[in-house]
Amino acid sequence: MSGPRILVVCTANICRSPVGEALLRDHLQKAGLVDWVVSSAGTWASPGHLASQFSVILLDERGLDIQAHRSQPVTEPLLQQCDLVLCMETAHQKELREAFPAHRAKIYTLRQVVDERGSVRDPYGGSRRQYERMVAEVELLIEAGFSRIQTLAWENYQKRGGDGSS
């Protein structure tokens, strides 16, 4: 059985959330949590789109390959499988909590896990420098919030009936 499941959410699931997914998965693997599952989706995503070019390039420079990424929309079945949802914007959190009220308690912004307010700015259509800032910000937030991310996901996993062997 797999461990806890975390979903990273942005708008189109092509810039920020694929970056967050890859960086978080890398952190979990380095921490020995290899059975944890990380995926990503978008509140306004059309299925099947590739990650943005700068997101692919910048993660490749960090040794992470997201070329196989394909966008997907947030759906009820996807949320049912997840133990924690990390949104890039406060608007995403609000939208998901309203559209999927049964999952309200497990939907956070990435900034909330480090006790901050606000959103991660969308670099879509912007320069490499804007993407570099986004990647650095997401990386910093994941590093700073890593233990809280683990705790929140694990607690919800246990509530969902996780096997406890992870």
Side-chain angles (χ1 to χ4, degrees):
M1 181 171 176
S2 71
R5 294 176 171 267
I6 301 171
L7 182 68
V8 183
V9 174
C10 70
T11 305
N13 190 215
I14 60 172
C15 297
R16 296 169 290 176
S17 58
V19 165
E21 173 186 355
L23 291 171
L24 181 55
R25 182 182 296 118
D26 186 55
H27 271 75
L28 289 164
Q29 288 174 351
K30 286 176 178 171
L33 301 171
V34 295
D35 61 336
W36 288 45
V37 178
V38 184
S39 58
S40 63
T43 57
W44 287 88
S46 297
H49 291 278
L50 300 172
S52 64
Q53 182 181 7
F54 284 133
S55 291
V56 172
I57 291 168
L58 293 170
L59 286 185
D60 185 61
E61 291 173 0
R62 286 169 165 75
L64 302 174
D65 183 2
I66 61 169
Q67 290 193 50
H69 172 81
R70 297 298 179 271
S71 61
Q72 66 176 341
V74 176
T75 62
E76 175 68 28
L78 194 57
L79 290 174
Q80 286 175 0
Q81 297 170 10
C82 293
D83 301 299
L84 178 63
V85 179
L86 297 172
C87 299
M88 292 292 168
E89 295 180 17
T90 55
H92 300 141
Q93 179 190 38
K94 183 177 188 287
E95 183 179 335
L96 292 179
R97 283 181 167 181
E98 288 174 2
F100 304 99
H103 303 288
R104 286 180 66 86
K106 63 183 175 186
I107 302 171
Y108 294 78
T109 66
L110 190 52
R111 286 198 170 281
Q112 279 180 309
V113 298
V114 295
D115 294 319
E116 292 181 10
R117 298 170 87 114
S119 302
V120 174
R121 181 172 287 159
D122 189 355
Y124 181 74
S127 66
R128 178 185 167 112
R129 182 71 190 116
Q130 289 171 302
Y131 276 83
E132 289 170 349
R133 282 194 292 266
M134 176 272 294
V135 172
E137 181 179 2
V138 170
E139 195 165 38
L140 185 69
L141 289 169
I142 288 171
E143 287 173 8
F146 191 61
S147 68
R148 183 145 185 239
I149 289 168
Q150 289 178 74
T151 299
L152 291 168
W154 183 254
E155 288 172 354
N156 289 330
Y157 175 70
Q158 296 292 80
K159 289 177 193 169
R160 191 169 55 90
D163 66 3
S165 67
S166 295

